[in-house]
Amino acid sequence: MNIKRLFSGLLAGTAMTLAAAADSAPKYIFYFIGDGMGVNEVMNAQLYKKHVLGTGDLLMTGFPAGSMATSHSASSDVTDSAAAGTALATGRKTNNGMLGVTPDTAAVTSIAKTLFDDGYGVGLVTSVAIDDATPGAFYAHVPKRSMFREIGSQLAASGYQFAAGSGLRGTKDKKGRDTGLLAEFAENGMSVSYGLAGADLTADRVLVLSPDTARNWSIGYTIDSIPGALTLQELTKACISHLERVSPEKFFVMVEGGNIDHSGHANDAATNMIETINFDNTIRIAYDFYKQHPEETLIVVTADHETGGMSVGNQSSGYAVYPGRLAPRRLSKDAFSDFCKGIAKSRRIFKWEDMKEYLAENLGFWTPSTKVSDEQTNRLREMFEDMFTRHVTRPDQKTLYSDFDAFTAAVFEIADTQAGINWASTKHTGSPVPVFAIGRGSEIFGRFGDNTEIPRKIMELAGKQIE
């Protein structure tokens, strides 16, 4: 057998296959990544949506292609967001903490960059910082995910037409001095605004950040209804609108629901469910676009990892889950913690009867929906008196993004447990993540695999290869 001739034939066949794929490539590609959104997060959100909101199933669970993916990194069975983001953006594994590079720090190319070089417009949207791990994996190459100055500089130089998130953390150094990063965006022709109201959407390149510069790690939780806060839906709509103007023939959009992960680290079930539903509502914006361009659009939904080890049912709930017991919730665990710390700091007179009233109004405690036992009530009262009357310090519950006082931790543990939800951790787990897809070529996402296969399949449909 002529090996040279066989090899040449295989190369020619591959080239013909890629050329055929390119001719039928989706023109509009949407890549949704629910940060920390494991299978149980999706299931609990679906139960909440069905039984509490009464609006049926999540949109994503009705997509024709559905499967799961493993999420381990090159260095651990439990990934961090940088390694997982790199896998989802480039199809390559790396070590925890590394972004857009291999374990030996060689740069790897993201699918966004490959598509951009092929004439696609590119937009990146997130509810957390735009220089965070998941969005950063689509444009940055750094050995440490904390290198915010370098990550921001690479976003400025990327050429991508739209980016939006809560903040840009490399604009100041550790001493609070200006690093000149914002000047780089100006030099690269990217208009920067704080809020959509002041955004110059006539510019070729746009970066939208939160008007609340003190909260540069998140736009805030949906449940807290923060006045003037950006929302994932409005940012996604702005992104699509901008790309339709500057790159109407074809574009790629990555949208991250980052607050699902934050609420998972906090072990805050109601906030997590509402953030997952909010993410699903954002997917609907792309779905409405798909309905107008069904033969030209691909939508892929997945997650970088699971956060918190969230359960659907627990020892005390039996063979049942009670999402309705979370329906009265009016604020996140973070907001309640801030409320408690504010009272303690002010040393104002705040009695147990005042706290009981607040918990009843904002979490539904001691109401028919959330019956708190005498034992639980006595436990909470003792902890309340320690914090607000005796000023006894108990160990905080320390998580990745927040430290919660012991009283707050106990309140939310009781609320979640009564709803049938337990948490295994305040960190990530190695559980598989869901994959959903609809649109052109979506059927190839319908089997269990690894997270690195997802971007490879997207590139296959686009007529490209990941080396």
Side-chain angles (χ1 to χ4, degrees):
M1 179 180 291
N2 189 320
I3 300 298
K4 183 176 181 181
R5 182 179 299 172
L6 175 62
F7 185 67
S8 297
L10 289 172
L11 286 178
T14 300
M16 290 175 64
T17 301
L18 290 174
D23 289 340
S24 61
K27 294 181 179 179
Y28 310 109
I29 301 171
F30 294 90
Y31 199 7
F32 286 88
I33 301 173
D35 194 346
M37 187 186 73
V39 174
N40 283 358
E41 279 78 2
V42 172
M43 192 67 237
N44 278 318
Q46 178 133 310
L47 293 172
Y48 188 97
K49 190 170 188 284
K50 183 184 295 184
H51 297 301
V52 176
L53 303 181
T55 53
D57 293 339
L58 295 170
L59 173 66
M60 68 178 106
T61 61
F63 283 0
S67 59
M68 293 188 293
T70 52
S71 64
H72 58 279
S73 70
S75 60
S76 176
D77 291 328
V78 180
T79 189
D80 84 323
S81 292
T86 299
L88 291 174
T90 72
R92 300 286 294 273
K93 294 287 188 184
T94 194
N95 294 339
N96 286 356
M98 304 180 80
L99 191 61
V101 296
T102 60
D104 59 359
T105 72
V108 285
T109 304
S110 78
I111 62 174
K113 170 62 173 170
T114 299
L115 292 170
F116 179 76
D117 289 345
D118 193 43
Y120 281 72
V122 173
L124 307 175
V125 177
T126 180
S127 58
V128 295
I130 192 61
D131 53 13
D132 210 0
T134 300
F138 287 86
Y139 60 83
H141 313 280
V142 290
K144 295 181 180 179
R145 59 179 292 184
S146 59
M147 299 171 67
F148 300 125
R149 175 64 178 81
E150 291 80 1
I151 294 171
S153 179
Q154 292 177 55
L155 174 60
S158 69
Y160 298 169
Q161 292 93 337
F162 190 93
S166 61
L168 194 64
R169 292 169 290 184
T171 59
K172 302 287 184 183
D173 64 16
K174 293 181 179 180
K175 294 184 178 180
R177 297 171 300 195
D178 185 357
T179 62
L181 179 57
L182 289 176
E184 286 192 30
F185 281 90
E187 291 166 4
N188 282 276
M190 198 166 198
S191 171
V192 180
S193 69
Y194 295 89
L196 275 170
D200 180 9
L201 298 179
T202 65
D204 290 336
R205 302 186 65 209
V206 175
L207 172 63
V208 180
L209 303 174
S210 172
D212 184 0
T213 55
R215 289 180 54 89
N216 64 6
W217 68 93
S218 168
I219 62 175
Y221 289 125
T222 305
I223 195 172
D224 290 328
S225 302
I226 302 169
L230 295 172
T231 70
L232 197 61
Q233 284 98 332
E234 66 183 3
L235 291 176
T236 301
K237 288 179 180 177
C239 178
I240 294 172
S241 177
H242 185 72
L243 291 177
E244 284 182 306
R245 182 177 67 82
V246 300
S247 184
E249 294 301 318
K250 52 185 181 180
F251 56 74
F252 168 85
V253 176
M254 189 287 297
V255 180
E256 180 198 22
N259 281 335
I260 301 171
D261 174 68
H262 286 214
S263 56
H265 282 291
N267 289 177
D268 182 352
T271 299
N272 189 277
M273 293 176 189
I274 291 170
E275 285 301 323
T276 303
I277 293 169
N278 180 61
F279 179 65
D280 191 66
N281 290 337
T282 305
I283 295 169
R284 186 169 294 280
I285 296 168
Y287 181 69
D288 290 340
F289 182 93
Y290 154 79
K291 289 191 294 184
Q292 298 173 15
H293 310 273
E295 299 301 319
E296 303 171 316
T297 304
L298 171 67
I299 303 173
V300 179
V301 183
T302 189
D304 51 355
H305 51 73
E306 193 278 338
T307 301
M310 191 183 203
S311 73
V312 184
N314 59 28
Q315 186 69 24
S316 62
S317 68
Y319 292 100
V321 185
Y322 303 99
R325 293 177 179 175
L326 298 174
R329 184 78 59 82
R330 298 291 178 266
L331 76 175
S332 67
K333 186 174 179 178
D334 286 78
F336 181 75
S337 177
D338 289 344
F339 170 75
C340 291
K341 289 175 181 177
I343 293 171
K345 187 176 181 180
S346 69
R347 297 297 180 98
R348 64 182 255 206
I349 297 174
F350 195 79
K351 299 180 179 179
W352 170 240
E353 289 72 21
D354 299 320
M355 180 58 76
K356 283 192 70 175
E357 182 179 351
Y358 187 89
L359 290 173
E361 290 179 356
N362 292 281
L363 281 87
F365 277 25
W366 302 288
T367 67
S369 67
T370 309
K371 297 177 181 178
V372 182
S373 69
D374 289 344
E375 180 183 352
Q376 291 169 330
T377 299
N378 291 335
R379 176 190 172 201
L380 290 179
R381 180 166 189 169
E382 182 68 18
M383 297 182 78
F384 171 87
E385 299 295 350
D386 274 355
M387 181 173 180
F388 294 98
T389 304
R390 295 186 285 266
H391 306 297
V392 175
T393 301
R394 291 175 180 252
D396 285 351
Q397 180 189 43
K398 295 185 181 296
T399 72
L400 183 61
Y401 296 106
S402 302
D403 291 345
F404 299 104
D405 62 86
F407 178 70
T408 294
V411 166
F412 279 74
E413 178 191 353
I414 288 171
D416 288 0
T417 300
Q418 287 207 354
I421 295 165
N422 279 357
W423 299 90
S425 172
T426 60
K427 298 177 174 62
H428 301 173
T429 73
S431 299
V433 296
V435 181
F436 306 106
I438 191 171
R440 193 166 190 87
S442 60
E443 62 275 4
I444 69 172
F445 295 91
R447 70 169 184 83
F448 188 93
D450 186 65
N451 58 4
T452 54
E453 296 178 35
I454 299 172
R456 291 177 182 274
K457 290 177 179 178
I458 293 174
M459 288 291 93
E460 177 185 335
L461 293 173
K464 304 292 179 183
Q465 274 188 318
I466 292 177
E467 298 299 329

